[in-house]
Amino acid sequence: MDEAAILLERHTPALRRYAFAMLRQHDAADDLVQDCLERAISHWHLRQRDGDLRAWLFTILRNQFISGYRQKRRRGPHVAWDEVPDSVAVGGSPDSTTMMREIFVGLDTLPEDQKSVMLLVGVEDLSYDEAARVLGLPIGTVMSRLSRGRENLRIYLETGRTAVLRRVK
Amino acid sequence: MIERHNPIGEDDLHAYVDRRLQPERVEAVEAYLNSNTEVASRVSAWRAQRETLRDQLAAKAAEPIPARLRISSIRAARRQSRLRQFRMIAASAAWLFAGGAVGWITAKSDWSVPRPVPAVMVSDAISAYRTFVVDVSHPVEVKATEGDHLVEWLSKRLGQPIKAPDLTAFGFRLMGGRLLPASTNGIAAQLMYDDDHGTRLTLYLRNGEKGETAYRFVREGNVSAFYWIDQGLGFALSAAASRERLLPIVEAVYQQVEGPERAIR
């Protein structure tokens, strides 16, 4: 295997995990990762040689997630984040505790940026700086998204109610 | 080194949860949490949700990489699609030569004979290019600096998602775009780019086009244009530049617009 393949495959498991956490459908998540890897290969010459490959890949993946999501929204009937039914597929073992199932439902009540920051920082171990690059936001804004995301999720898990304003469609 | 007695902020609390604090700051945060039980309970809830998420998602990252996501499979699929693309281009080139009907593509064509739609489209595109590219004060209707608004607006009016290709690799920056009437029943959008030398380039998109074509080239005066139809959208890339200069750009545009955003799933 050449350098590009080795480097890309090193990050593939993490990309699959983030994609799955965002979509929580295994096939759709892998479709997203496939699109991301295709784009990374075709734009390989555009990456910054000494730059952070992992942050670059997450940026591509997230941008594709967002454009796919927007496209779906434009297509009429849709399920918004704050209307996702409780029955959505949840990863993990079948004997997951309520807290474990609830956490994904709670995560889905959050706006995409809060959710992404929580996953990128909390699960993928990106630094705040890297997360800021992925989201294209100043670091201070990333910190406040993280703070709001965690606090919203805490309130949801403790009260069963979303603290996020429901958008009127 | 961070001052030990700096007041504790929200940032410190999150960095504490994420174990990203300097050791001496950890002490300060822990001392603070010991005397602020309400904050401490929030922080421990944050840490618990973080750990739960990590635990729940650990299995996903431990899975073996599926065959279709191996880089070798993705490359093989790309080679296949390039080959298809090459065949389409070769076929259309052959078609151009074979027909003897090359006349319609040039300005010399007989106007009484209905011209194929792509030819109408490309001539509209070139007219639009000539009209707006020389405009100094209002070359575009909506500037690229307005961000997503431009693409969202044009997508909405065209009734299908479009995107503005990134041509910075070729030194071209997106200036903005505008909406145009089309001589057919459709609506057209024009995206304009420029480079450091003031060369302007436009990507013209029009809805309601039928069929699917590989790209074709036409030159009218000093303007070169490549055009093609893909999934109901007609595209024309125009610039006062040589065919050779435009070709790599058109390939990049082609690749970007037929990307995942427009792929049918």
Side-chain angles (χ1 to χ4, degrees), chain B residues 163-180:
Chain B
K163 60 180 190 178
D166 180 0
L167 301 180
T168 47
F170 304 95
F172 282 97
R173 290 165 307 253
L174 180 66
M175 298 166 67
R178 65 169 65 242
L179 205 62
L180 295 162

Side-chain angles (χ1 to χ4, degrees), chain B residues 94-250:
Chain B
W95 173 82
L96 270 183
F97 284 111
V102 187
W104 62 259
I105 209 167
T106 69
K108 294 183 210 91
S109 61
D110 180 359
W111 285 84
S112 62
V113 179
R115 297 188 299 162
V117 175
V120 176
M121 178 188 80
V122 72
S123 105
D124 286 353
I126 291 174
S127 304
Y129 170 86
R130 291 194 196 282
T131 309
F132 295 111
V133 96
V134 293
D135 205 307
V136 178
S137 46
H138 303 292
V140 296
E141 199 173 349
V142 173
K143 288 188 180 143
T145 47
E146 291 184 45
D148 290 345
H149 171 66
L150 171 67
V151 165
E152 280 169 6
W153 168 61
L154 293 175
S155 297
K156 195 171 155 206
R157 292 304 309 271
L158 262 62
Q160 49 188 309
I162 63 158
K163 60 180 190 178
D166 180 0
L167 301 180
T168 47
F170 304 95
F172 282 97
R173 290 165 307 253
L174 180 66
M175 298 166 67
R178 65 169 65 242
L179 205 62
L180 295 162
S183 63
T184 50
N185 288 327
I187 294 178
Q190 185 190 51
L191 296 171
M192 195 179 294
Y193 296 77
D194 69 350
D195 70 2
D196 287 338
H197 307 104
T199 308
R200 285 179 175 177
L201 175 157
T202 64
L203 178 65
Y204 179 91
L205 305 101
R206 180 148 109 184
N207 63 11
E209 300 290 335
K210 303 244 168 23
E212 195 118 323
T213 67
Y215 37 82
R216 298 172 193 159
F217 177 75
V218 59
R219 192 168 176 90
E220 268 188 23
N222 63 338
V223 181
S224 297
F226 278 95
Y227 61 103
W228 67 97
I229 294 172
D230 183 30
Q231 295 174 41
L233 270 189
F235 296 85
L237 187 80
S238 318
S242 68
R243 185 184 188 285
E244 289 64 37
R245 169 136 193 238
L246 215 50
L247 188 60
I249 304 177
V250 77

Side-chain angles (χ1 to χ4, degrees), chain A residues 2 4-5 8-9 12-13 16-17 20-21 26-27 30-31 33-35 37-39 41-43 46 64 67 70-71 74 91-92 96 99-100 103-104 107 118-119 121-123 125-128 143 146-147 150-151 153-154 158, chain B residues 10-11 14-18 20 38 41-42 45-46 48-50 52-58 60-61 63-66 68-72 74-75 77-78 148 152 155-156 160-163 169 255-256 259-263 265:
Chain A
D2 61 309
L8 288 171
E9 291 197 350
T12 305
R16 291 185 71 223
R17 174 169 54 193
F20 174 72
H26 295 279
D27 282 346
D30 279 349
D31 285 348
V33 173
Q34 189 174 340
D35 288 344
L37 292 172
E38 277 168 10
R39 199 164 180 83
I41 292 168
S42 66
H43 292 68
L46 292 180
Q64 291 191 315
S67 52
R70 287 210 179 127
Q71 193 176 335
R74 272 197 294 265
S96 303
M99 159 78 170
M100 285 172 174
I103 201 158
F104 284 107
L107 203 61
M118 287 179 64
L119 290 167
V121 167
V123 178
D125 286 327
L126 263 65
S127 68
Y128 301 134
M143 294 310 291
L146 180 64
S147 186
R150 284 183 169 156
E151 202 41 21
L153 185 55
R154 184 186 67 83
E158 282 172 13
Chain B
E10 283 267 309
D11 293 11
H14 289 287
Y16 177 73
V17 168
D18 293 316
R20 289 187 173 275
E38 189 269 332
S41 81
R42 276 199 290 143
W46 295 344
Q49 49 175 258
R50 182 179 184 274
T52 308
L53 278 175
R54 293 174 80 93
D55 290 348
Q56 283 292 286
L57 292 166
K60 191 68 202 175
E63 282 175 13
I65 301 176
R68 68 163 165 139
L69 296 184
R70 302 243 62 134
I71 300 305
S72 54
I74 290 173
R75 284 204 180 118
R78 269 168 58 81
D148 290 345
E152 280 169 6
S155 297
K156 195 171 155 206
Q160 49 188 309
I162 63 158
K163 60 180 190 178
Q255 205 168 51
Q256 288 185 42
E261 287 80 358
R262 288 186 33 81
R265 294 232 166 270

